[in-house]
Amino acid sequence: MIRYWAICQRDLLATWRKKSGIYQPLVFQLLIVTLFPLGLGAGAQTLAKISPAVVWILALLGTLITLEHIFKDDFEDGSLALYVRAGLSLPMAIISKALAHWITTGLPTVLFAPIIGILLHLPETAYGVLMLSLLLATPIFSLLGAVGSALTINLRSGALLLSVLVMPLLAPVLIFGAGAVLETALGNSAKGHLLLLSGALILTITLAPFAAAAAIKVNME
Amino acid sequence: MCKRSGEALFAPVSFTVKGGELVVIAGPNGAGKTTLLETLAGLRPLSSGNLSFEANKNWNDWLENSHYLGHKLGNKGILSCLENLKFVLEIYGHRYNRSEGKMALEQVGLNGYEYQLASELSAGQKKRLALSRLLLLKHSYWLLDEPFVNLDQMGCEWLYQLIKKHINQGGSVILTAHDQQKIHQMASQHIILEQP
Amino acid sequence: MNKLIRLYHQIGSPPSFYQISGYFLKPLLSLAIVLFVYGLIDGLFFAPEDYQQKDAYRIMFVHVPSAWMSMFIYALMGLAALITFVWRIKVAEAVMMASAPIGAAFTVITLITGMLWGKPMWGTYWDWDARMTSELILLFLYIGVMAMYSAFDDDPRKAARLTALVVIIGLVNLPVIHYSVYWWSSIHQGSSVKIIGTSGIKDWDMLRPLLVMALATKFYYGYSMLHRARSYLLKTEYKKQWVHLILGLHETKEKTNE
């Protein structure tokens, strides 16, 4: 277990040294959110109506731009070969890399979401569910992103392809997640949505590491 | 037999490596030296034939007892030399202590660079950093892909000595090279890859 | 049993697949054309008018069979992908790659005819109803599959294996996407005008052209897929002897098994 923790720890240290990996998605979200009032008009009512969806979509897009490099650097500098040679199980190594990615991008996104919510006049009652739904969903982003990243490690610019590959997979997550926030904002219970989101999380944790491992194996051949 | 992109790369080869032997894989560019070495390292599947390791041991023992150093060195640019070594030891499940790491760096001629980021090293120094893993992990079988590339005269000389010492201690080395006269003289076996 | 194994090996090897599939091309194409012509004439002129939608419903004879095909082809492609990934059979790889553009084309036809049908029926070209949305996502899946393959220009074998993985991931996700989209639309959507589903058709005169068209599209797919798979094999095996024999000397009868 300690051996896998070492991978996560090293990734955290590497991201911490680079910093850009942490603040880039947040700055990106802030930039886009500014465009909404500019394009829609600053009426609090209009913004409040679209806010659950926008906060969610921004969290998704913010993560999407960071996915490409989850495995690419490791593939290019030979670290992936090192993991295989050290006898590590690839799916487990993938989980620890996804964990590091989640800590450096998912967690900040969850913590940052209320700020985006305030800017968009998200109804006060919805903040708890917003953070809870993102807390459940951001690990899914990281894991599915790991699959997309693993598929595209061999490509020089795989960013667009990665989005094409990952987007259909993320559609259900968006439906449940943004739905949960919307229902709460409308004064309904979001329990069903959140349960489905948890189900999606469990399904992803069980399947995604193996899919990513298969992709990496093919890519290393 | 090995394949690259589904095409047979070279004529079938067969060899046995014993303790204390140095095997040099030679052949022109594109002959499949790296592919053969990667296959031996377990990084790609064998398309036909078999690999075996000491009759009563299995494939995992081979992985555990051999160390592979490829073109991609496996150094993380954003980490310092010592941190790189620490990481490698940790994923192998070994304990890391700093003085041991420092000693390994000193042996490869990187003293004074312990806290330098790996990305700031020169190409030859990066190679030396990667080679220092051999000293730390103490595996008995070394698989080295073009270990002399990027090393200067002194570095090459040092590596000859290192390999010689390793062999004299009963270890084995399989490496690829093309025009290293000296290593060919030292070799106990040559494998020349030919067109299929 | 022995015969079966031999047949399996024959179909699995590119040269014999190339040879055997060659015999099927013309019959499949002619069947497809005949059925298309019959189905279209029957559907557009002779099938009775719908009491609610008048003549506008006749686009169904193109729309519904393509919609079926768009999903049928993905399922078939998924099967080929599994075989590609697990057993690395080249012919399965060819079938998978040949199916993707045809499936994408049927998906596009489904979407376009759906939009054209939507205008007179719902008063709008596009309505985010569950069927249209999941069909659109299906199109994204097809695009992803094709993009994955074309992203690799240097190593077709690797590209095919990765593409197979993408197809399989899509296959696992398809039900999740499907149900989540249906569930989503049942919550967010007021009841939009529901098309009279195919299950609602009782009139044999209406059903007949639909089934004929469904058969025609199957045959067309068979023809087009085999044709593409053959050229895929030629392209990826161009170094092999059998390709030289076929292209150069037409000596397909001998030496097919190099």
Side-chain angles (χ1 to χ4, degrees):
Chain A
M1 235 27 216
I2 289 170
R3 300 160 72 193
Y4 299 102
W5 173 238
I7 297 180
C8 181
Q9 216 179 2
R10 188 216 43 189
D11 273 14
L12 291 179
L13 181 64
T15 319
W16 179 248
R17 289 220 171 123
K18 259 190 215 155
K19 302 278 195 304
S20 65
I22 303 171
Y23 67 72
Q24 257 174 6
L26 304 181
V27 171
F28 177 80
Q29 291 184 45
L30 209 54
L31 282 172
I32 306 288
V33 81
T34 317
L35 300 178
F36 275 89
L38 295 179
L40 275 169
Q45 268 194 323
T46 328
L47 289 177
K49 211 173 156 192
I50 58 157
S51 57
V54 174
V55 177
W56 243 85
I57 291 171
L58 283 179
L60 208 156
L61 290 179
T63 331
L64 213 54
I65 59 170
T66 61
L67 294 179
E68 198 185 348
H69 290 281
I70 299 184
F71 292 116
K72 207 170 188 172
D73 300 341
D74 272 14
F75 177 67
E76 276 165 7
D77 63 22
S79 304
L80 274 180
L82 211 57
Y83 307 155
V84 176
R85 289 289 305 156
L88 297 180
S89 122
L90 215 40
M92 283 296 290
I94 286 160
I95 290 179
S96 46
K97 287 204 63 89
L99 178 66
H101 179 261
W102 178 75
I103 293 174
T104 51
T105 62
L107 204 55
T109 302
V110 175
L111 299 173
F112 197 63
I115 297 174
I116 307 272
I118 290 168
L119 293 175
L120 289 169
H121 302 284
L122 184 74
E124 268 169 38
T125 48
Y127 283 90
V129 172
L130 171 69
M131 291 183 72
L132 187 60
S133 65
L134 280 174
L135 200 63
L136 288 169
T138 39
I140 304 183
F141 295 171
S142 295
L143 284 162
L144 290 179
V147 177
S149 177
L151 283 165
T152 53
I153 41 177
N154 248 322
L155 307 175
R156 212 159 297 134
S157 57
L160 179 65
L161 176 63
L162 201 153
S163 314
V164 174
L165 294 176
V166 172
M167 185 269 163
L169 307 184
L170 288 176
V173 185
L174 179 69
I175 291 174
F176 305 140
V181 184
L182 188 70
E183 290 300 321
T184 319
L186 294 173
N188 303 328
S189 160
K191 202 175 156 203
H193 290 76
L194 291 174
L195 283 177
L196 282 166
L197 208 54
S198 323
L201 175 60
I202 291 165
L203 192 70
T204 324
I205 290 180
T206 42
L207 294 182
F210 293 99
I216 286 177
K217 270 191 196 136
V218 176
N219 264 316
M220 289 213 322
E221 274 174 23
Chain B
M1 192 170 95
C2 278
K3 285 182 171 181
R4 183 172 60 201
S5 319
E7 303 300 324
L9 264 177
F10 44 76
V13 290
S14 149
F15 58 93
T16 314
V17 185
K18 293 190 215 63
E21 280 194 337
L22 166 68
V23 178
V24 177
I25 302 172
N29 286 344
K33 299 191 290 288
T34 298
T35 309
L36 176 59
L37 214 57
E38 282 180 359
T39 312
L40 289 175
L43 292 175
R44 41 171 90 231
L46 203 65
S47 41
S48 62
N50 66 316
L51 294 167
S52 58
F53 175 57
E54 293 190 23
N56 52 348
K57 289 181 176 166
N58 61 22
W59 187 240
N60 276 338
D61 294 321
W62 164 246
L63 287 185
E64 270 169 36
N65 283 298
S66 60
H67 190 83
Y68 166 75
L69 179 61
H71 285 287
K72 294 172 176 173
L73 297 173
N75 298 330
K76 268 274 172 250
I78 194 108
L79 301 182
S80 73
C81 294
L82 272 183
E83 283 165 343
N84 267 302
L85 292 183
K86 175 169 179 269
F87 174 68
V88 171
L89 281 175
E90 278 174 350
I91 62 169
Y92 272 91
H94 298 314
R95 285 185 68 85
Y96 161 80
N97 75 43
R98 183 174 299 186
S99 57
E100 208 181 322
K102 276 186 174 169
M103 220 152 74
L105 287 178
E106 204 180 306
Q107 276 178 288
V108 298
L110 283 176
N111 39 343
Y113 290 93
E114 287 90 347
Y115 301 101
Q116 196 99 355
L117 294 189
S119 57
E120 293 164 356
L121 301 176
S122 75
Q125 286 171 323
K126 281 177 187 156
K127 193 100 194 189
R128 284 161 184 261
L129 174 58
L131 284 166
S132 68
R133 293 205 291 263
L134 292 173
L135 303 172
L136 274 179
L137 290 170
K138 301 189 182 79
H139 291 160
S140 40
Y141 300 89
W142 292 357
L143 305 168
L144 310 175
D145 197 359
E146 303 280 6
F148 298 100
V149 168
N150 287 332
L151 287 181
D152 55 16
Q153 194 71 46
M154 272 194 23
C156 286
E157 196 54 47
W158 165 79
L159 189 54
Y160 290 137
Q161 297 311 320
L162 187 70
I163 290 172
K164 209 174 231 167
K165 198 174 144 205
H166 184 63
I167 290 169
N168 289 340
Q169 286 171 349
S172 311
V173 180
I174 304 176
L175 57 80
T176 63
H178 31 258
D179 37 282
Q180 251 72 32
Q181 278 301 320
K182 216 165 161 183
I183 202 79
H184 282 291
Q185 285 161 14
M186 273 165 68
S188 40
Q189 261 189 72
H190 291 274
I191 294 164
I192 315 285
L193 300 181
E194 285 155 0
Q195 291 289 314
Chain C
M1 201 56 204
N2 233 347
K3 263 188 182 167
L4 242 154
I5 291 172
R6 221 178 61 212
L7 184 75
Y8 168 80
H9 277 290
Q10 262 178 5
I11 294 178
S13 97
S16 18
F17 174 83
Y18 188 88
Q19 200 188 359
I20 295 170
S21 62
Y23 300 129
F24 286 95
L25 287 179
K26 273 194 186 137
L28 282 172
L29 182 63
S30 5
L31 264 173
I33 292 176
V34 170
L35 288 175
F36 260 128
V37 171
Y38 172 77
L40 279 178
I41 293 176
D42 194 10
L44 295 184
F45 300 105
F46 297 106
E49 195 173 78
D50 187 75
Y51 75 101
Q52 225 178 1
Q53 306 188 18
K54 303 284 179 246
D55 276 334
Y57 90 98
R58 290 181 196 277
I59 201 166
M60 174 185 88
F61 296 119
V62 180
H63 178 75
V64 174
S66 341
W68 286 343
M69 286 310 284
S70 67
M71 283 173 260
F72 171 78
I73 293 177
Y74 199 95
L76 217 85
M77 193 169 76
L79 190 68
L82 274 174
I83 297 173
T84 306
F85 197 78
V86 179
W87 291 291
R88 305 178 184 224
I89 292 176
K90 189 112 190 190
V91 171
E93 188 185 308
V95 168
M96 173 185 79
M97 288 321 301
S99 298
I102 313 170
F106 274 117
T107 313
V108 170
I109 293 173
T110 309
L111 284 169
I112 292 176
T113 51
M115 287 165 82
L116 292 177
W117 196 2
K119 185 66 181 172
M121 291 303 111
W122 306 335
T124 170
Y125 285 114
W126 188 265
D127 190 24
W128 288 97
D129 98 309
R131 288 184 198 208
M132 299 193 94
T133 312
S134 49
E135 192 72 18
L136 186 64
I137 294 179
L138 184 64
L139 180 65
F140 292 149
L141 285 177
Y142 274 119
I143 291 175
V145 168
M146 290 187 288
M148 186 76 230
Y149 186 77
S150 58
F152 278 83
D153 33 13
D154 50 342
D155 194 343
R157 253 4 257 281
K158 197 180 272 185
R161 303 222 332 121
L162 286 172
T163 310
L165 198 60
V166 172
V167 176
I168 294 167
I169 294 170
L171 202 64
V172 173
N173 252 276
L174 215 52
V176 179
I177 293 169
H178 189 78
Y179 285 109
S180 62
V181 166
Y182 268 79
W183 184 73
W184 158 78
S185 78
S186 68
I187 282 182
H188 291 271
Q189 209 94 15
S191 58
S192 63
V193 189
K194 282 276 172 269
I195 319 163
I196 303 167
T198 44
S199 53
I201 299 179
K202 291 283 188 306
D203 195 336
W204 170 244
D205 286 334
M206 257 189 212
L207 198 57
R208 187 182 53 233
L210 189 65
L211 292 179
V212 169
M213 286 299 283
L215 271 179
T217 48
K218 296 263 184 319
F219 284 125
Y220 171 74
Y221 164 69
Y223 161 76
S224 177
M225 187 271 282
L226 286 182
H227 205 71
R228 281 169 180 281
R230 279 159 59 95
S231 50
Y232 178 89
L233 286 176
L234 286 186
K235 205 163 67 187
T236 50
E237 302 243 296
Y238 70 98
K239 278 182 188 159
K240 299 268 171 74
Q241 206 189 358
W242 69 270
V243 176
H244 289 266
L245 285 173
I246 285 168
L247 295 184
L249 301 162
H250 294 284
E251 279 183 339
T252 44
K253 293 252 162 77
E254 287 142 32
K255 283 202 125 182
T256 37
N257 298 315
E258 4 173 13

